[in-house]
Amino acid sequence: MNSKRPVNLDLSTIQFPLPALTSIAHRITGVILFIGLIFAFWALDASLSSPAGFAAVSDALAHNFLVKLIAWGLLSALAFHFVAGIKHLLMDMDIGVTLEGGVKKAQITVVVSAVLIILAGVWVW
């Protein structure tokens, strides 16, 4: 089959629309949350093992920059994943499935997620 259609193999030249970017970010944050369960389960196990373990986790969350960054990153991923998940549920219910509706929901997803991420940062730091 000899096709004369142009083939673009350079993905850096493709301009993805905002709904596509939010959908891709939704998948990425899901992977981040899955991997982040290792940190969350370690912290839960250590904090429930003994009073000393609880104090160690509490101290790490209060004074360790890397631990705070990981906690904020996980909360940020959770916030975006939650908001984008609601967007996907609305799409499954045939709400706003037009092109304009998709762009508007993607914009709302980014704004609400940004607010939640900032609030999570204030809470962690």
Side-chain angles (χ1 to χ4, degrees), residues 86-97 105:
I86 292 173
K87 178 187 80 135
H88 283 286
L89 285 175
L90 291 173
M91 287 176 13
D92 289 343
M93 293 187 294
D94 288 333
I95 298 174
V97 292
K105 283 190 306 191

Side-chain angles (χ1 to χ4, degrees), residues 78-117:
L78 180 64
F80 184 86
H81 196 75
F82 179 75
V83 175
I86 292 173
K87 178 187 80 135
H88 283 286
L89 285 175
L90 291 173
M91 287 176 13
D92 289 343
M93 293 187 294
D94 288 333
I95 298 174
V97 292
T98 63
L99 181 61
E100 297 83 19
V103 171
K104 189 58 130 177
K105 283 190 306 191
Q107 291 170 342
I108 292 170
T109 299
V110 169
V111 169
V112 171
S113 297
V115 168
L116 290 175
I117 289 169

Side-chain angles (χ1 to χ4, degrees), residues 20-108:
L21 293 174
T22 57
S23 182
I24 293 167
H26 182 247
R27 293 170 189 248
I28 292 170
T29 55
V31 171
I32 291 170
L33 288 172
F34 182 75
I35 294 170
L37 285 175
I38 296 168
F39 172 75
F41 285 150
W42 167 81
L44 181 65
D45 180 53
S47 66
L48 294 178
S49 65
S50 66
F54 180 82
V57 171
S58 178
D59 183 57
L61 283 170
H63 302 295
N64 191 330
F65 176 77
L66 183 61
V67 173
K68 284 184 178 185
L69 188 64
I70 290 171
W72 183 50
L74 288 176
L75 287 173
S76 299
L78 180 64
F80 184 86
H81 196 75
F82 179 75
V83 175
I86 292 173
K87 178 187 80 135
H88 283 286
L89 285 175
L90 291 173
M91 287 176 13
D92 289 343
M93 293 187 294
D94 288 333
I95 298 174
V97 292
T98 63
L99 181 61
E100 297 83 19
V103 171
K104 189 58 130 177
K105 283 190 306 191
Q107 291 170 342
I108 292 170

